[in-house]
């Protein structure tokens, strides 16, 4: 949790790029989405009235992922800062282009270095693992976690649960 707080403190929230990057990291932590999935989210996929985001997964299948009040507020502020854009994608560059996966990876790596995090890989996938770990620690149902993460089978979810079962027992 300390490392999460450290990395989230790195973007300059007074700039568009910094606030955009902060919003992406908050969304990674809130939803556990994959890198490709976050770059493919369109503005219309955010459904504030249902507190959900439509995530387009593999093979153009979709799932609805819940978002809580605080991340919703961050997203609403980001959308105001983003303003109107000819690009339908949620996360855009300053030049109104879709964010590339490579740029997202580089930005997260940069913030990890700035935060002095060296014992963990700073990547979008690490945010996904962190989301899964925190969900398990907070007693998430394995079937709900499977649906949120977009896994077709429970195999990968079992890996997360087994990997973190000692943490669950300790926190219990």
């Amino acid at each position: 949790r300390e490392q999460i707080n450290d990395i989230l403190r790195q973007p300059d929230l007074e700039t568009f790029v910094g606030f955009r990057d902060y919003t992406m990291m908050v969304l990674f932590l809130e939803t556990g989405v994959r890198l490709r999935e976050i770059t493919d989210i369109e503005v219309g996929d955010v459904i504030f009235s249902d507190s959900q985001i439509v995530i387009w997964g593999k093979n153009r299948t979709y799932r609805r992922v819940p978002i809580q009040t605080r991340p919703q507020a961050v997203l609403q502020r980001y959308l105001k800062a983003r303003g109107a854009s000819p690009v339908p994608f949620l996360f855009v560059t300053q030049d109104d282009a879709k964010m590339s996966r490579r740029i997202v990876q580089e930005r997260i790596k940069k913030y990890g270095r700035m935060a002095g995090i060296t014992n963990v890989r700073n990547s979008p996938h690490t945010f996904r693992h962190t989301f899964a770990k925190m969900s398990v620690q907070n007693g998430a149902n394995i079937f709900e976690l499977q649906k949120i993460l977009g896994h077709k089978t429970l195999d990968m979810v079992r890996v997360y649960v087994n990997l973190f079962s000692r943490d669950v027992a300790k926190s219990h």
Side-chain angles (χ1 to χ4, degrees):
R1 290 186 192 277
E2 188 177 315
Q3 288 177 329
I4 291 168
N5 290 329
D6 287 346
I7 199 167
L8 288 175
R9 277 193 292 271
Q10 300 314 307
D12 179 355
L13 303 184
E14 299 300 316
T15 67
F16 171 75
V17 170
F19 194 70
R20 177 204 61 205
D21 295 350
Y22 173 80
T23 304
M24 276 193 296
M25 290 190 290
V26 166
L27 204 57
F28 274 125
L29 287 169
E30 173 68 9
T31 62
V33 294
R34 296 175 179 95
L35 173 59
R36 185 197 49 76
E37 292 171 340
I38 206 165
T39 58
D40 286 351
I41 295 172
E42 295 187 6
V43 173
D45 294 333
V46 181
I47 308 168
F48 289 109
S49 61
D50 289 339
S51 301
Q52 295 181 340
I53 299 179
V54 175
I55 302 297
W56 292 94
K58 297 176 181 176
N59 302 320
R60 290 306 286 169
T61 59
Y62 75 92
R63 63 189 187 278
R64 290 175 175 252
V65 175
I67 51 172
Q68 296 183 42
T69 306
R70 276 191 184 154
Q72 280 187 60
V74 171
L75 267 174
Q76 287 172 330
R77 284 197 326 264
Y78 166 72
L79 283 169
K80 268 188 192 170
R82 177 187 179 278
S85 172
V87 177
F89 297 101
L90 181 62
F91 294 109
V92 294
T93 66
Q94 288 177 296
D95 301 324
D96 276 331
K98 177 183 179 182
M99 289 284 294
S100 73
R101 291 181 231 170
R102 172 67 67 204
I103 290 173
V104 174
Q105 289 171 319
E106 289 172 0
R107 303 295 297 170
I108 290 175
K109 211 179 278 188
K110 171 190 171 187
Y111 294 126
R113 280 192 309 270
M114 288 170 64
I117 300 170
T118 57
N119 60 336
V120 177
R121 188 178 81 183
N122 297 295
S123 72
H125 203 70
T126 303
F127 278 101
R128 184 170 167 83
H129 279 265
T130 301
F131 165 81
K133 179 177 183 172
M134 291 172 72
S135 296
V136 169
Q137 287 175 327
N138 290 321
N141 173 303
I142 190 169
F143 299 107
E144 293 166 350
L145 192 56
Q146 175 189 3
K147 185 171 172 101
I148 290 171
L149 290 172
H151 291 294
K152 289 192 182 206
T153 69
L154 284 173
D155 294 340
M156 193 62 213
V157 181
R158 280 192 189 110
V159 169
Y160 288 127
V161 172
N162 290 335
L163 192 60
F164 306 127
S165 60
R166 269 183 281 162
D167 291 333
V168 171
K170 183 180 173 186
S171 64
H172 178 71

